[in-house]
Structure formats: C-alpha cells, structure tokens
Amino acid sequence: LHRCGILSTAFCSTVFLRRSFVGSFLPPLSPLSRVGVGVPLTCTLTTPTSLFSTTPPLPDPSTVSNLPFMSHVNLSSRLVPLLTSSSAVMASSLKKILKEQLKNSEGIRGFFVAYLTGEGEDIRVPNILEEAIMECENVEELIELSIMNVIMPTAQACHFSLSLNPETEELEGNATMMKSSLLTAEKGVKVLQVLRRRERERVDGTLESIRRT
C-alpha cells in the first residue's frame, strides 16, 4: 500500500475540505513535504487568452508530464470543470494534457485527487477522460492506482458507517463523510469500468489477429 501512495494522514484535513476521503492518490509523506502545498505550475503557457480574462491559459501538453504531484493537483482542479466542454478545440487540448498526466504516477494521483473529490454527484466518466484512458500508454499503473482509488474510500465509508451512533454529536458529520466517501468510490468504479472495457477490446483485437493468421 505504501508503494501505491496511499493517502497520508498529514494531508487528510486538506482533502476533507473538498470531500471526506480520497483513495490512493498521495505519495509518501516525506516527498510530499518536499513538494509542499501550492507549488506553482512551472509549465509553458501557450493557449491564447483575452487581455481581460481572469482564467489562466492551459499549459502546453509537452510540459505537463514532468510536473510535481501538487502541480498536477492544482492543474487538475482547473481541468475537471472543463471536461464536459462542448468545444471541439477545448476537448482536443484537454485530452492531450490528460494523456500526458496519465503517463506517470504523479500525474495519475494528482488528476484523480481533483476528479474523484470534485463537486457534483454525476459519477459518469466524461467522454474526454474516457478517451484519454482508452489511449493511455501507462495502463498497468493506471489500473493499479484506480483499484486502490475504490478500495480506500470504500473502507473509509465502512468506518464512518460504524460510527453512526445516535448518542454522539458526530452523527451528522459521520453520515456526511460516509456519503462523500461512497460517492468517491462510485466515481472510481466508473473509471475501472472504462479500463475493463479497454482491456476487453485489446484482448478481442489480439484474438481477432490470431484468427486471421
């Protein structure tokens, strides 16, 4: 579990402000302490923006894969609300950035911190993210971390469900955190379903090639 980068205790209070629990997103504590919360993005910005725009432009995809963990979190917090964009140009840019993020564990963890704990209760995987997952080059690590992203919030939900004691003042808070943890797990399950479909299509394609030969 330590190798997968399970959520560290020191970061729990920060993540709870977004959602009650996040699964296997964070690296071990000592690297996190060196990175620091709020590390500024150090990527080249290329997307044009209006002189009066208050929204920072998106980074050049080529600068994304080597970002540190917290920079991936910060970047992903901006990307997640855009995943349902109807703009073809925006969708293309987002998918390129997402594919770069999914190339290594720092990007995978950073993105899913923002995605799984984002606002809203729609658990469907946006088309842009689904396409990025289907084209991911680092699928083995993505599968491993995605499994943990279901296991950990599910365990946390079970913990909170056992703490629903009507005689304590924590009843309402525990119920809220249990619901949030379950929602995080449900989103994670949807991601796993995309990965399962990807692998099924890959296997089917291999079998078809064998038949043809």
Side-chain angles (χ1 to χ4, degrees), residues 17-201:
L17 294 176
R18 298 171 54 83
R19 188 173 299 286
S20 64
F21 186 80
V22 182
S24 57
F25 310 120
L26 300 187
L29 181 57
S30 56
L32 179 60
S33 63
R34 292 198 301 271
V35 173
V37 177
V39 175
L41 294 176
T42 56
C43 40
T44 305
L45 303 178
T46 59
T47 304
T49 183
S50 167
L51 177 64
F52 302 102
S53 174
T54 58
T55 303
L58 295 178
D60 183 333
S62 66
T63 66
V64 168
S65 62
N66 293 324
L67 290 174
F69 169 76
M70 282 308 303
S71 290
H72 277 293
V73 175
N74 294 337
L75 171 60
S76 300
S77 296
R78 294 169 46 206
L79 298 181
V80 170
L82 302 175
L83 291 178
T84 55
S85 171
S86 58
S87 166
V89 175
M90 176 65 75
S92 176
S93 298
L94 287 173
K95 189 170 80 168
K96 290 178 182 178
I97 294 173
L98 289 173
K99 289 176 65 175
E100 291 298 318
Q101 287 189 292
L102 299 181
K103 284 184 177 180
N104 57 64
S105 61
E106 298 291 282
I108 294 172
R109 292 188 182 98
F111 173 77
F112 283 108
V113 163
Y115 175 70
L116 296 180
T117 64
E119 298 296 329
E121 298 189 358
D122 188 353
I123 63 174
R124 294 172 298 179
V125 178
N127 291 337
I128 299 172
L129 176 57
E130 181 174 338
E131 291 174 10
I133 291 174
M134 296 295 281
E135 299 173 18
C136 176
E137 301 173 8
N138 184 27
V139 68
E140 290 186 5
E141 192 165 27
L142 178 57
I143 291 173
E144 181 179 1
L145 291 173
S146 295
I147 290 172
M148 298 309 302
N149 292 343
V150 175
I151 292 174
M152 296 306 293
T154 300
Q156 190 73 356
C158 292
H159 167 74
F160 287 124
S161 69
L162 295 174
S163 304
L164 295 178
N165 185 347
E167 297 180 359
T168 69
E169 296 180 355
E170 299 179 353
L171 176 61
E172 182 176 349
N174 285 339
T176 299
M177 288 189 284
M178 180 184 71
K179 179 181 178 181
S180 296
S181 297
L182 287 174
L183 181 59
T184 298
E186 288 171 356
K187 285 185 175 182
V189 167
K190 290 297 184 181
V191 172
L192 281 178
Q193 289 174 346
V194 173
L195 284 165
R196 182 178 64 178
R197 185 165 66 253
R198 170 201 163 106
E199 289 305 287
R200 183 180 298 162
E201 291 178 3

